Amino acid sequence: MLSLLRGSLSILGFLALWEIVARSGLVPTDYFPAPLLVGETLVAEIGRGEIVSAFVATFLRALIGATAASLLAIAMALLAARYAIVRRAFDPIAEFLRPLPPAALVPLAIFFLGLGWKLYGFILVFACFWPVYLNAAQALAATPRVQVETARSFGYGDWAILAHVRLPAALPTIFIGVRMAASIGLIAAIAAEMIAGRDGLGFYLMDAGLSLRVPETFAGLVAAMVAGLLINALVMVLRALTIGWHVQLTRMEAGA
Amino acid sequence: MGLKLTRRLACLAGLATMLASPLAAQAQDAPKVRFAYLKTLDLMPFFYGVQKGYFKEAGVDIELIAVPGGPAVGAAVASGSADIGYAAPTPIMIARDQGQPFKAFVSLEWERTPDRLWGDILATEKSGIKSLKDLKGKNLGVSVPGGLCELAAHDWLASVGLTTKDVNILNNPFPQMPAMMELGTVDAVCIVEPFATAALAGKSKPVLLKKGYLADVKEKYRVSILFASEKWIGGHAKEIAAIKKAFVRAATELKSNPTLVKEILAKEYRFPPALIDKLRTDFALDLDPKAEDYRIMVEKMTKYGMLKHPMKPEDFIAQAK
């Protein structure tokens, strides 16, 4: 309850600061609308429906992209953990490709993937894959030796140890990567839509900008923030369902 | 008497159905053309014509593919996601120069000094710039590289003995330019409608330095086109003819009805009401590409190094069959 109050107060403080800056004349008022006007515009835009369909398109893209990338990255990390040759072969490629910014790939990717789901799929999976893979690979490699050897003494094979010991132990760290991937997925989806989209929040923002509808662009940004909060909340729910034991343990340790 | 009238009406209805059905069938069977576009003012006849069904009636089914920026149009056509695209001639000439088999098959908006000029060179009041010569050492915003405004920067600066090396060229999107002028991030810009009108109405109190993309060119030159790959153009003469026919029909209606134009600006473009009354609009009606409409642009782009290889204007256009 107290944390909810604190959260509400900090958001109110942020909105008050926004209002002060908007009224101060520090920035051109025509291009920096006050929060109240943005709120009114957002309500009107929701009524028109355009921002709602843009929100849904972007949110689903980010969600599907982050989910697909996470599954792929975890599978790849498991293979790398199981077979040293895979890890040795893949890690240099990872180091080489990881720094590439997804937005920079969009203009090139359009040429071989066109506009549409293939482009989004490629950009989102590329963007979301690395944080999950790196966290998963690191966590799988860091399983305490004693846990692995104990399982082996009980007759577990390499695959069984991977599935029943190393993966569960790595899940808390993997979720850090998944949470990062979810945020990156939203950023990548909006960036791709801004460069090559036909719909979604990125396209909505560009379209509103081209029509000089400044309050609508801010309304689009608020919608993007809401999408970010929602996708993060979904990851946290999934985390609680999957590794609730770890969350409780961490809280108990913090309490102790 | 009543029965006679009913029979006559029935006959008329039957006749109308017989006459209408080939048209309806034609509209239904019209081949689809995927059109990658930006929501610019000179494409208003396209949006209006599609909405009114003029393109289908002319024999082509236009699928509008909105894209958020100029580079995405070229990429959409090159990748096959769109059949045709809308652009300024400059980036398409550059793409052709670099090996893309693009050609203009419809000529759209045009400029000519002094009577028809769309591009504006504006400077902010606080920059102290009064003439083109004062641009030396200043920040000049020109939108995307390879665009019409890059050519405008070359040409207007050359007209007063300067080059683009004498100014700081900034590549900024058009929508942000009015705000950047107010903030003082840029001293001057090459800008298009509706952003030019927004900037002129803004607090930066801009000075209009020059009008037009090319420096005092008294012959007609095109500033927007429809383009496609040579292969597509070669196999779609009927569709191209239908596009021109429907566009001219829609443009003619719009030219004769300023109220309708304002309604579309408000409803479809959703421009702020304060801007709508100030906006200038007009639509080209002579859409057949002619080499002479592109000659001066090719010459100037070659002169300023925007084209690396010799190009004949005749090679850039697809002649109407």
Side-chain angles (χ1 to χ4, degrees), chain A residues 190-207:
Chain A
I190 291 175
E193 288 162 359
M194 288 181 100
I195 300 166
R198 298 167 61 175
D199 54 14
L201 284 174
F203 180 80
Y204 176 89
L205 288 169
M206 290 297 283
D207 191 48

Side-chain angles (χ1 to χ4, degrees), chain A residues 26-31 45 48 50 107 110-112 114-115 193-198 203 206-207 209-213 216, chain B residues 39 63-69 72 74-76 78-79 81 100 175 178-179 182-183 194-195 198 203 269-272 275:
Chain A
L26 283 170
V27 285
T29 45
D30 290 344
Y31 306 108
E45 287 294 284
R48 280 171 46 84
E50 198 181 334
I110 302 172
F111 285 105
F112 55 90
L115 303 173
E193 288 162 359
M194 288 181 100
I195 300 166
R198 298 167 61 175
F203 180 80
M206 290 297 283
D207 191 48
L210 283 170
S211 302
L212 290 165
R213 289 178 280 130
E216 280 85 344
Chain B
K39 210 154 85 180
E63 182 191 344
L64 290 169
I65 301 174
V67 294
S79 69
S81 293
Q100 287 287 344
E182 285 192 29
L183 288 167
F195 313 108
K203 295 185 181 75
Y269 287 77
R270 298 184 63 206
F271 285 136
L275 199 64

Side-chain angles (χ1 to χ4, degrees), chain A residues 5-30:
Chain A
L5 188 69
R6 276 183 196 146
S8 306
L9 278 176
S10 84
I11 288 171
L12 280 175
F14 169 72
L15 291 174
L17 185 67
W18 179 353
E19 184 78 37
I20 290 166
V21 174
R23 284 169 184 263
S24 68
L26 283 170
V27 285
T29 45
D30 290 344

Side-chain angles (χ1 to χ4, degrees), chain A residues 28-31 212 214, chain B residues 122-126 175-184 189 191 193-208 274-275 278:
Chain A
T29 45
D30 290 344
Y31 306 108
L212 290 165
V214 179
Chain B
L122 303 180
T124 62
E125 188 185 40
K126 69 178 166 190
Q176 277 72 36
M177 283 183 179
M180 292 176 75
M181 291 176 83
E182 285 192 29
L183 288 167
V189 293
I191 195 165
E193 289 292 14
F195 313 108
T197 299
L200 284 164
K203 295 185 181 75
S204 66
K205 296 176 189 163
V207 179
L208 177 62
L275 199 64
K278 295 175 189 159

Side-chain angles (χ1 to χ4, degrees), chain B residues 13-291:
Chain B
L15 190 65
T17 312
M18 278 169 62
L19 288 171
S21 41
L23 278 177
Q26 188 189 355
Q28 240 172 13
D29 300 339
K32 185 166 280 229
V33 173
R34 298 166 302 158
F35 175 33
Y37 75 97
L38 298 166
K39 210 154 85 180
T40 60
L41 293 176
D42 48 346
L43 283 183
M44 192 188 287
F46 241 100
F47 312 134
Y48 177 67
V50 167
Q51 208 171 34
K52 298 287 278 185
Y54 293 168
F55 285 89
K56 278 191 179 172
E57 280 181 35
V60 64
D61 182 9
I62 298 288
E63 182 191 344
L64 290 169
I65 301 174
V67 294
V73 176
V77 177
S79 69
S81 293
D83 302 309
I84 64 172
Y86 162 87
T90 47
I92 306 308
M93 284 178 183
I94 292 170
R96 184 170 177 85
D97 188 50
Q98 290 170 354
Q100 287 287 344
F102 291 156
K103 277 192 175 194
F105 66 91
V106 166
S107 290
L108 289 172
E109 198 43 70
W110 52 278
E111 281 199 336
R112 181 177 58 199
T113 301
D115 55 326
R116 194 177 175 102
L117 296 164
W118 298 103
D120 288 343
I121 311 288
L122 303 180
T124 62
E125 188 185 40
K126 69 178 166 190
S127 70
I129 297 168
K130 302 277 184 236
S131 70
L132 288 172
K133 281 193 173 175
D134 299 335
L135 284 172
K136 192 168 184 178
K138 302 284 187 178
N139 293 326
L140 174 65
V142 298
S143 190
V144 291
L148 269 175
C149 276
E150 187 188 325
L151 179 60
H154 280 296
D155 209 35
W156 281 114
L157 289 169
S159 74
V160 292
L162 297 175
T163 72
T164 48
K165 287 180 183 160
D166 294 316
V167 298
N168 303 318
I169 295 285
L170 301 177
N171 295 114
N172 317 111
F174 287 123
Q176 277 72 36
M177 283 183 179
M180 292 176 75
M181 291 176 83
E182 285 192 29
L183 288 167
T185 320
V186 288
D187 300 306
V189 293
C190 168
I191 195 165
V192 298
E193 289 292 14
F195 313 108
T197 299
L200 284 164
K203 295 185 181 75
S204 66
K205 296 176 189 163
V207 179
L208 177 62
L209 296 178
K210 288 291 173 188
K211 288 190 81 62
Y213 293 108
L214 299 180
D216 297 323
V217 172
K218 291 176 178 63
E219 63 191 82
K220 186 175 178 178
Y221 55 92
R222 298 288 175 161
V223 294
S224 61
I225 55 167
L226 297 188
F227 71 97
S229 68
E230 288 173 1
K231 192 179 167 192
W232 188 91
I233 292 169
H236 295 83
K238 277 185 186 171
E239 286 84 345
I240 291 171
I243 287 169
K244 287 178 187 170
K245 186 180 168 189
F247 186 95
V248 168
R249 182 180 174 190
T252 308
E253 271 187 35
L254 290 170
K255 275 166 85 85
S256 66
N257 194 345
T259 314
L260 178 61
V261 170
K262 282 185 182 173
E263 272 175 29
I264 295 172
L265 287 173
K267 280 185 190 164
E268 301 298 325
Y269 287 77
R270 298 184 63 206
F271 285 136
L275 199 64
I276 290 172
D277 285 334
K278 295 175 189 159
L279 279 178
R280 297 174 295 149
T281 53
D282 200 357
F283 310 106
L285 294 177
D286 52 337
L287 307 186
D288 289 336
K290 297 180 191 77

